[in-house]
Amino acid sequence: MKTAIFPGSFDPFTIGHADIVRRALPLFDSIIIAVGINHQKTPFFPLEKRLESIKRAFADEPRVSVVAYTELTVDFARENNAQFIIRGIRTIADFEYERTMADANAELAEQKIETIALFTKPELAHVSSSFVRDLASHGHDISPYLP
């Protein structure tokens, strides 16, 4: 069984994130959307709200599960028998960061976990969690950017 995790803080989970998951579904038997908890950061949206909104977005897809985690992503993947980590890439800066993380994860996992990068659709490239948080903090409607 091919299992992948899609890790992130998802603060919030955007239409770009949802698109990456939907496009990755044909590649895997199951996808775990893993909402990372970093106790050194203060999230804009509460964890429970993030988890619930993602679960709602994929309520029609039994191959997608949503969980929170605190350990290293590679350790979480191993604990959940995931062979793949899914990452979305919007920009060249994302590519550089994700390449470094993929190399580090492969080393930590002793090459047993592969990172799969999917490029964001051009029409969604401007949508980021930080962009959505900024809109929300200024009282703008963020619903067009959420699944």
Side-chain angles (χ1 to χ4, degrees), residues 19-143:
D19 182 65
I20 293 292
V21 173
R22 295 236 182 252
R23 290 173 39 221
L25 273 168
L27 305 173
F28 304 103
D29 298 309
S30 66
I31 295 175
I32 302 167
I33 300 174
V35 181
I37 300 169
N38 183 339
H39 295 293
Q40 296 174 352
K41 291 184 177 180
T42 303
F44 190 82
F45 294 97
L47 175 63
E48 288 307 317
K49 183 174 181 178
R50 288 181 281 154
L51 291 169
E52 185 54 40
S53 68
I54 301 168
K55 287 176 183 176
R56 257 194 328 273
F58 290 96
D60 65 332
E61 183 48 71
R63 296 179 301 144
V64 173
S65 59
V66 183
V67 297
Y69 75 106
T70 57
E71 59 267 53
L72 287 176
T73 298
V74 71
D75 292 336
F76 177 82
R78 190 179 303 117
E79 291 167 11
N80 287 275
N81 298 314
Q83 306 85 22
F84 303 93
I85 297 173
I86 302 167
R87 300 302 296 162
I89 296 181
R90 293 178 304 115
T91 66
I92 193 70
D94 286 352
F95 176 82
E96 293 290 338
Y97 174 79
E98 295 300 343
R99 172 62 193 259
T100 301
M101 292 305 300
D103 290 345
N105 285 334
E107 183 177 317
L108 288 169
E110 299 170 357
Q111 303 297 326
K112 294 177 186 141
I113 298 175
E114 190 69 48
T115 297
I116 305 296
L118 296 176
F119 291 97
T120 304
K121 288 181 178 176
E123 63 269 23
L124 298 176
H126 71 287
V127 179
S128 68
S129 292
S130 56
F131 167 72
V132 175
R133 284 192 308 270
D134 194 37
L135 289 176
S137 70
H138 289 90
H140 287 269
D141 178 19
I142 60 172
S143 62

